[in-house]
């Protein structure tokens, strides 16, 4: 790192994306391991997929919240350095890639044997899970639209491009994602006695990041 300090032109020094991404992932991993394996007694054999899916989804949510909250925070007068501001793009892209991984992993895992609480006896999903998955799918689609807009020939359609990159799309995507977390988690949130080691469920940790980020956005976003 020291070497990079004396090279002002180095791209690496102009942003903090990788440390932000790394420490966010480490936090999400540590939280998941402590809550589910150490406090909750989930067998370690479930780490590589079931628990990793939770950690990746939490990491994705925090990265997306960082991506869309730094600008509004700065507008509100909070001193955010340029290195943080310049990290937003890569942090958002990696957040989106992690959502992608979460979606793939969730599709593979989504069975009554793995998530008995999400299914009724007849094998159909509960209302809350249906609402949650609807939020997840719509959140994912809007996030996708937002990402794709930077790379495709949507560029030729000025109005569409203006809408998709206005970041309103990101706000819509995050709102659906908030719904996804609310409906999947609300029953567990209301039962603190069942929280492993007193630690809130990952859906609630994620929802808190979403809510704080969203409020900051509503207060500080300029292109409303
Ligand atoms: C097609 C879209 C999606 C599907 C099918 C989906 C599926 C799921 C499933 C099945 C769970 C429960 C996981 C568990 O209890 O272990 C879950 C939780 C979660 N999802 Fe999604 N999801 C989608 C989109 C998203 C998006 C866009 C985000 C944004 C980052 C997201 C973030 C989360 C988080 C943070 C949790 C909480 C994990 C937990 O409580 O353990 N999901 N999702």
């Amino acid at each position: 790192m020291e070497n990079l300090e004396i090279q002002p032109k180095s791209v690496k020094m102009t942003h903090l994306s990788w440390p932000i991404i790394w420490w966010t992932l480490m936090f999400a991993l540590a939280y998941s391991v402590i809550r589910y394996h150490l406090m909750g007694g989930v067998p370690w054999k479930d780490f590589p997929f079931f628990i990793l899916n939770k950690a990746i989804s939490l990491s994705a949510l925090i990265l997306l919240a960082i991506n869309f909250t730094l600008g509004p925070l700065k507008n509100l007068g909070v001193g955010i350095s340029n290195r943080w501001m310049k990290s937003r793009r890569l942090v958002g892209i990696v957040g989106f890639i992690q959502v992608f991984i979460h979606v793939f992993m969730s599709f593979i895992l989504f069975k009554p044997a793995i998530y008995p609480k999400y299914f009724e006896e007849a094998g159909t999903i509960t209302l809350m899970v249906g609402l949650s998955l609807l939020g997840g799918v719509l959140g994912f689609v809007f996030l996708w639209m937002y990402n794709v807009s930077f790379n495709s020939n949507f560029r030729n359609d000025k109005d569409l491009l203006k809408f998709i990159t206005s970041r309103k799309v990101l706000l819509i995507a995050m709102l659906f994602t908030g719904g996804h977390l609310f409906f999947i988690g609300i029953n567990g949130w209301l039962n603190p006695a069942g929280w492993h080691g007193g630690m809130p469920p990952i859906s609630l940790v994620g929802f808190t990041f979403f809510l704080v980020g969203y409020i900051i956005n509503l207060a500080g976003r300029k292109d409303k």
Side-chain angles (χ1 to χ4, degrees), residues 36 50-51 53-62 64 95 98-100 102-104 106-107 109-110 114-115 118 129 132-141 143 173-174 176-178 180-181 184-185 189 201-207:
Y36 294 97
F50 179 68
I51 297 299
N53 183 35
K54 290 176 183 286
I56 288 175
S57 66
L58 178 60
S59 170
L61 193 108
I62 298 174
L64 293 174
Q98 291 183 352
V99 169
F100 220 101
H102 162 61
V103 170
F104 263 112
S106 297
F107 274 131
L109 283 168
F110 203 72
I114 294 174
Y115 296 115
Y118 297 166
V129 171
S132 166
L133 292 182
L134 179 66
V137 170
L138 292 177
F140 179 63
V141 169
L143 278 176
M174 292 312 289
F176 283 126
T177 302
H180 172 54
L181 298 182
I184 205 104
W189 302 353
I202 287 196
S203 52
L204 183 52
V205 178
F207 190 81

Side-chain angles (χ1 to χ4, degrees), residues 65-180:
I66 291 174
N67 166 280
F68 88 122
T69 304
L70 288 180
L73 260 185
K74 194 164 188 171
N75 295 341
L76 289 171
V78 179
I80 309 279
S81 75
N82 273 345
R83 292 168 83 197
W84 274 83
M85 293 302 281
K86 284 184 183 159
S87 305
R88 284 178 301 172
R89 187 163 185 272
L90 195 52
V91 162
I93 290 172
V94 173
F96 181 64
I97 292 171
Q98 291 183 352
V99 169
F100 220 101
I101 297 170
H102 162 61
V103 170
F104 263 112
M105 291 175 99
S106 297
F107 274 131
I108 295 168
L109 283 168
F110 203 72
K111 299 180 182 90
I114 294 174
Y115 296 115
K117 278 192 287 183
Y118 297 166
F119 291 84
E120 296 189 333
E121 272 180 24
T124 56
I125 54 172
T126 64
L127 171 64
M128 294 304 237
V129 171
L131 290 171
S132 166
L133 292 182
L134 179 66
V137 170
L138 292 177
F140 179 63
V141 169
F142 275 91
L143 278 176
W144 194 336
M145 268 162 60
Y146 184 70
N147 274 270
V148 161
S149 65
F150 290 109
N151 303 313
S152 78
N153 47 14
F154 271 144
R155 285 180 185 287
N156 300 330
D157 185 336
K158 292 246 165 58
D159 288 343
L160 188 62
L161 184 69
K162 213 171 144 197
F163 170 66
I164 291 178
T165 57
S166 68
R167 292 172 74 90
K168 276 189 190 121
V169 167
L170 196 52
L171 285 172
I172 296 171
M174 292 312 289
L175 201 58
F176 283 126
T177 302
H180 172 54

